[in-house]
Amino acid sequence: MRKTGIIGGTFNPIHNGHILLAVYCKEKLNLDRVVFIPTYTPPHKSDKDLVSEVHRLNMCNIAVQNHVDFSVSDIEIKRKGKSYTFETLTSLKEIYPHDTLYFITGADMFLTLEKWKNPEIIFDKAIIAAVPRNSSDCKMLSSHYKNFLKPLGAKACILDEPVLSVSSTFIRENIDNYDLIKSLIDRNVYEYIVKNNLYKE
Ligand code: ATP
Ligand code: MG
């Protein structure tokens, strides 16, 4: 049975925190592969900073190109409209019935999972892997699991070390300061952003 990690996100843009999250979970949980799933951009989306799904998909493909066990799926982009995680995991389970799915989340996502649509279905289809985004998150993850997610049937692997304290927001806000962000983003992704004039006012 293959173990497959799934990371969903806007990836606006994908950064080294996302890649290290995948590397860390792959090692710790012995995953065979990790699939990145960028969200679709809903029409009329109010977030003016959100670039098109084609750009975000392209940047994800650039960022995973040197990692043989990482890939990018356009399943949510192709579905268009709002994709719920329970639907995506249900489809993936149909496509890969023999895989054990691990839904990989940063702490911010993990701490809201019980409010997502149909959390019981999410927990039925996948084991949740949670990684703190900074050292102050660490303690909250276990208590949140015990109090909110376990009662809904979740199985979770809580990893206790942050990988890299960076967000796409930080990258977008500092896109003109390459020296500041160069250790936080793939060089080729950065060049793609510059070439396509992304994240400019
Ligand atoms: P934004 O600032 O735009 O919200 P983001 O950096 O949070 O961007 P997302 O695309 O929202 O990136 O996140 C996708 C997934 O990756 C989420 O589960 C998020 O918690 C996780 N994640 C993002 N950055 C990190 C990080 N540095 N460490 C651990 N997990 C992370
Ligand atoms: Mg985020």
Side-chain angles (χ1 to χ4, degrees), residues 4-135:
T4 297
I6 310 291
I7 305 186
T10 43
F11 302 116
N12 184 40
I14 191 163
H15 54 65
N16 290 348
H18 296 126
I19 297 295
L20 289 175
L21 177 66
V23 169
Y24 181 58
C25 288
K26 181 172 181 286
E27 276 171 17
K28 288 278 177 182
L29 304 172
N30 255 315
L31 304 180
D32 296 292
R33 57 180 182 155
V34 178
V35 183
F36 291 76
I37 306 189
T39 55
Y40 177 64
T41 309
H44 321 302
K45 173 92 193 180
S46 55
D47 182 352
K48 66 171 176 39
D49 291 332
L50 187 62
V51 303
S52 78
E53 62 275 8
V54 175
H55 282 316
R56 293 181 292 105
L57 182 69
N58 289 344
M59 291 189 281
C60 286
N61 277 314
I62 292 169
V64 303
Q65 66 192 358
N66 295 322
H67 297 266
V68 279
D69 300 320
F70 295 178
S71 61
V72 183
S73 163
D74 59 3
I75 182 170
E76 292 199 355
I77 290 174
K78 277 217 181 111
R79 195 188 289 136
K80 299 195 185 304
K82 184 162 175 54
S83 283
Y84 289 101
T85 295
F86 84 89
E87 295 170 323
T88 301
L89 291 176
T90 300
S91 304
L92 291 173
K93 210 51 201 167
E94 279 162 15
I95 301 169
Y96 310 116
H98 302 301
D99 286 22
T100 303
L101 303 183
Y102 287 76
F103 183 62
I104 299 171
T105 64
D108 53 325
M109 294 288 137
F110 186 76
L111 295 174
T112 64
L113 270 183
E114 75 283 3
K115 300 189 186 107
W116 293 20
K117 189 150 187 200
N118 294 335
E120 292 92 343
I121 300 182
I122 297 179
F123 302 148
D124 178 54
K125 305 289 176 197
I127 297 170
I128 311 299
V131 177
R133 292 191 68 154
N134 51 58
S135 45

Side-chain angles (χ1 to χ4, degrees), residues 163-201:
V163 284
L164 179 70
S165 183
V166 57
S167 66
S168 301
T169 305
F170 183 83
I171 302 283
R172 291 194 300 273
E173 286 172 351
N174 293 287
I175 206 67
D176 289 328
N177 189 345
Y178 182 63
D179 277 345
L180 184 64
I181 61 171
K182 67 181 172 202
S183 61
L184 305 174
I185 187 166
D186 182 286
R187 166 99 213 169
N188 294 317
V189 171
Y190 180 76
E191 282 173 3
Y192 182 94
I193 291 171
V194 172
K195 197 169 127 213
N196 290 281
N197 211 20
L198 306 182
Y199 309 117
K200 296 280 181 192
E201 286 301 298

